Amino acid sequence: MKVVSDFKSEVFRNKSDAMLEELVGIITLSKNDTHGEVQPPGEVQQHTCHASAGPLLVQLVRILSYLDLHSKPAQKKSGAKKIVPDRRLGIQEEEPRYSVGSQAETLVNRLLCWDPNVCRDGDDEDERAKQPYASDIIYGLSGEPRGSILLEAILRCSPDSFHDELCRVGAFYDDTTLREYIEHGVSNFVVQVLFATSRSREQTAKLVKPLVDIVEDGSLLRPNSRCADEGAQEESRAPTKNTRRIGVIWRASEMCANVGSAQDQEQLLHAIMRGFSAATGRSEEGDTELSDGKKKRKRSKAKGLPACECIPLLLGLKPGSYDASCRLTLDAAGARVMHHIFQFKERLREEWVESFFDIYTCEDLVGIANDGLGSRCILDGLLEGPSRAKSSRLLLAKISDRLAFLAAERVGHHVVIKMFRSLPTFEDKAAVSATLSQSLNRLGSNSMGRSVMTSLAVKEYLEGENPWKEALARQRGKEDWLEDITGEKQSNEGEDDEHDGSEKAKGRHKKDKKKKKKRRQD
């Protein structure tokens, strides 16, 4: 793959086309049969699971997708969020997709015994009947360590139409088959890639519908455990649904946050809450007697556990349990689930945002802010997401006594800067600068503290209000200039995708352009 960058050269591409076409013909045993009928599974399909041939086929599919002249990065649809690769969040760079009629499509059709000439009309059963071999091949590849990687590459590189057909033929829209995929130790990673590469809201709705029933029974959220006594072991010889698959929940929440509708987000969120209720065995049905003799209705089990009880189970961090002498340990997949939940619609994420700050103490939040995974997945999801104005105030109220400590830490100083920029009013920002101005010696002792002093204009704050505001305005001008160059600009504060096309948003966009133009002229 080191030569992929050279494919941008027209000369190299022309010389490599003939060689790759011959290579595909040799590998797929179809050098002299370019327009023949679909052949039943044979030696080619055995190669997909071979220790050496399997990885070669994966790279060949990717290279042919890069080579395809008509292959372009997925076009951003109106209202869709821009997906940026991020190692901490587990978001990979988007692969180029091959087009219909390309060499990559020919290779994929050969590997899956796929007939491209069948009619695409009809229900799922008809679709699988028209593709007699592909259904079994997809099912078999998903459960094989090397074959599953090839199937993941096909899901990433395939065009939108083929991606949906593959889901139909592979029965990923069927709740029973999807459960089998998820419970398997290998094929659940294929399901994760499938969720991460969902192409449209319609497809997301089809995937969320069968997933909700699987999540609600708690089998994906229950931690793996061993039976304590022999009697329990005898009973456990029967198949038990006790396999934790929090990675599937992570990718499902990512799918709903990026391309899902508000209904999909709500269904998944309630399924998680009911799933934790089933996994922990906490039944909250019935009434409780209060001191005044009245009865208080408890939360129905149908609604599941509240957010304040689900958050510690997702993160693996009990409130008040963090000790500064020990390293913070978080569930990576659970932290990523929290990140995407914080990007949901306001009415859905509000309870989770408030509960997060309510249940965790100051020391817990400081530990999360100082942790690379916790700060990026959780706090950045709050301070850079649609609820950043409210979250920054709640965070400031919690950690105001520890600001000077965080401002001098390698990871924590980034959280302080982002929190300051997310605060909605100058009064809130002035409170932060005033607090830090009392610890100038500590901030000046290392490069992280000096960076905070510069970004928050701490020294200028001691000179007066006007110099402080002028320093912040100069910094904001530099940031706008860099954003204009790089083309990166955060969405308006507290604004959901559903309001992107409103007249209010358009008017605000025009005002921003006029301000930038005037700033450049000055």
Side-chain angles (χ1 to χ4, degrees):
M1 292 304 292
K2 292 182 180 179
V3 300
V4 168
S5 59
D6 296 333
F7 289 162
K8 297 178 182 179
S9 170
E10 191 71 25
V11 177
F12 183 87
R13 186 184 295 114
N14 292 335
K15 290 183 179 179
S16 63
D17 281 346
M19 180 267 292
L20 286 172
E21 184 176 0
E22 183 178 1
L23 180 62
V24 171
I26 294 173
I27 292 177
T28 60
L29 306 177
S30 59
K31 185 176 180 181
N32 299 322
D33 183 21
T34 56
H35 300 286
E37 297 180 355
V38 176
Q39 300 296 322
E43 188 175 357
V44 176
Q45 283 64 41
Q46 294 178 359
H47 289 163
T48 59
C49 302
H50 191 271
S52 299
L56 174 62
L57 291 172
V58 172
Q59 299 303 336
L60 193 57
V61 170
R62 296 181 63 201
I63 289 174
L64 291 175
S65 298
Y66 275 96
L67 268 175
D68 185 11
L69 294 176
H70 303 287
S71 179
K72 301 177 182 179
Q75 298 294 327
K76 181 182 177 183
K77 298 181 181 180
S78 58
K81 296 182 179 179
K82 182 181 179 181
I83 300 176
V84 181
D86 192 295
R87 180 178 63 86
R88 291 284 187 185
L89 293 175
I91 302 175
Q92 298 183 8
E93 185 176 0
E94 196 167 7
E95 297 276 358
R97 300 170 188 171
Y98 63 82
S99 60
V100 178
S102 62
Q103 287 187 359
E105 185 192 38
T106 302
L107 175 61
V108 170
N109 290 342
R110 283 285 181 178
L111 295 176
L112 300 180
C113 294
W114 190 278
D115 187 359
N117 299 318
V118 298
C119 180
R120 297 186 177 90
D121 298 332
D123 57 14
D124 295 351
E125 294 294 336
D126 293 340
E127 192 77 16
R128 290 194 289 272
K130 295 173 183 176
Q131 300 285 355
Y133 307 125
S135 178
D136 293 335
I137 292 175
I138 294 171
Y139 188 84
L141 287 179
S142 64
E144 210 282 326
R146 287 166 290 272
S148 63
I149 298 176
L150 174 62
L151 191 57
E152 291 173 10
I154 293 174
L155 287 171
R156 295 184 186 278
C157 299
S158 61
D160 295 353
S161 57
F162 184 81
H163 192 279
D164 182 63
E165 292 176 32
L166 192 147
C167 292
R168 291 179 181 276
V169 175
F172 288 98
Y173 296 147
D174 180 71
D175 54 353
T176 304
T177 310
L178 182 62
R179 183 184 291 272
E180 293 181 17
Y181 282 128
I182 293 176
E183 292 179 352
H184 192 272
V186 176
S187 59
N188 76 90
F189 294 102
V190 176
V191 176
Q192 294 183 33
V193 173
L194 173 63
F195 289 164
T197 57
S198 179
R199 306 299 172 82
S200 63
R201 284 194 172 187
E202 292 75 14
Q203 187 178 16
T204 299
K206 294 177 185 177
L207 292 170
V208 169
K209 184 178 179 180
L211 179 65
V212 166
D213 296 332
I214 302 174
V215 176
E216 284 181 351
D217 64 15
S219 59
L220 307 185
L221 300 171
R222 189 179 299 116
N224 294 326
S225 60
R226 295 184 178 180
C227 301
D229 54 2
E230 295 181 359
Q233 289 180 3
E234 291 293 334
E235 296 178 359
S236 66
R237 287 181 180 176
T240 57
K241 302 175 182 179
N242 191 23
T243 305
R244 186 176 176 86
R245 292 283 184 264
I246 196 66
V248 175
I249 308 297
W250 156 37
R251 290 302 187 182
S253 61
E254 177 185 350
M255 172 181 66
C256 291
N258 291 335
V259 293
S261 63
Q263 183 179 3
D264 299 329
Q265 296 173 2
E266 184 175 12
Q267 289 179 353
L268 179 64
L269 205 57
H270 290 170
I272 292 174
M273 299 166 78
R274 289 191 290 268
F276 273 123
S277 177
T280 57
R282 300 178 189 174
S283 178
E284 300 190 34
E285 295 179 343
D287 299 334
T288 55
E289 190 81 16
L290 298 180
S291 58
D292 56 358
K294 296 181 180 180
K295 290 186 177 181
K296 179 183 177 182
R297 184 73 177 175
K298 284 191 174 182
R299 189 182 185 94
S300 172
K301 188 176 181 181
K303 297 181 180 179
L305 296 183
C308 60
E309 296 186 32
C310 293
I311 291 174
L313 297 174
L314 276 174
L315 298 181
L317 178 65
K318 294 182 180 180
S321 63
Y322 173 69
D323 186 1
S325 61
C326 303
R327 184 176 179 180
L328 182 70
T329 303
L330 293 174
D331 188 310
R336 291 162 180 167
V337 172
M338 291 292 299
H339 176 90
H340 295 298
I341 289 177
F342 291 149
Q343 317 308 313
F344 284 4
K345 301 302 180 184
E346 183 178 3
R347 63 182 178 85
L348 302 176
R349 67 173 183 263
E350 185 176 6
E351 180 186 0
W352 289 73
V353 172
E354 294 177 353
S355 299
F356 175 76
F357 289 106
D358 287 342
I359 63 177
Y360 286 117
T361 63
C362 174
E363 290 302 322
D364 293 333
L365 295 175
V366 169
I368 293 174
N370 254 334
D371 181 73
L373 180 69
S375 63
R376 180 67 190 100
C377 294
I378 303 174
L379 294 183
D380 283 4
L382 291 165
L383 299 177
E384 295 181 346
S387 61
R388 55 185 174 273
K390 181 178 183 179
S391 300
S392 57
R393 281 183 165 178
L394 293 173
L395 180 61
L396 176 60
K398 278 278 190 175
I399 64 171
S400 57
D401 296 336
R402 301 280 282 165
L403 280 178
F405 168 77
L406 274 180
E409 292 294 316
R410 182 179 63 86
V411 179
H413 82 281
H414 293 292
V415 176
V416 175
I417 294 174
K418 291 177 181 178
M419 180 189 68
F420 179 82
R421 292 175 178 172
S422 301
L423 290 170
T425 63
F426 273 109
E427 290 77 9
D428 296 327
K429 295 182 179 181
V432 177
S433 297
T435 302
L436 295 177
S437 64
Q438 301 174 9
S439 306
L440 292 180
N441 292 336
R442 183 169 190 171
L443 296 179
S445 62
N446 56 32
S447 60
M448 285 77 72
R450 290 190 291 270
S451 175
V452 172
M453 290 173 63
T454 303
S455 300
L456 277 60
V458 177
K459 288 185 176 180
E460 288 81 353
Y461 178 80
L462 297 175
E463 299 175 5
E465 181 179 357
N466 291 333
W468 176 69
K469 289 186 177 181
E470 290 175 0
L472 293 180
R474 287 195 300 270
Q475 286 192 15
R476 187 58 196 166
K478 292 179 181 178
E479 293 170 5
D480 290 342
W481 179 73
L482 289 174
E483 288 173 352
D484 289 340
I485 293 177
T486 59
E488 297 180 357
K489 178 69 176 175
Q490 287 186 341
S491 61
N492 290 318
E493 186 174 294
E495 185 177 1
D496 286 331
D497 293 339
E498 53 199 329
H499 303 300
D500 287 344
S502 64
E503 293 296 329
K504 185 177 180 180
K506 293 178 181 178
R508 187 160 43 240
H509 182 63
K510 291 181 180 179
K511 290 181 180 179
D512 291 341
K513 291 180 68 175
K514 290 180 180 179
K515 288 180 180 179
K516 289 180 182 179
K517 184 177 180 180
K518 184 178 180 180
R519 209 177 282 126
R520 284 194 295 267
Q521 291 175 351
D522 295 340

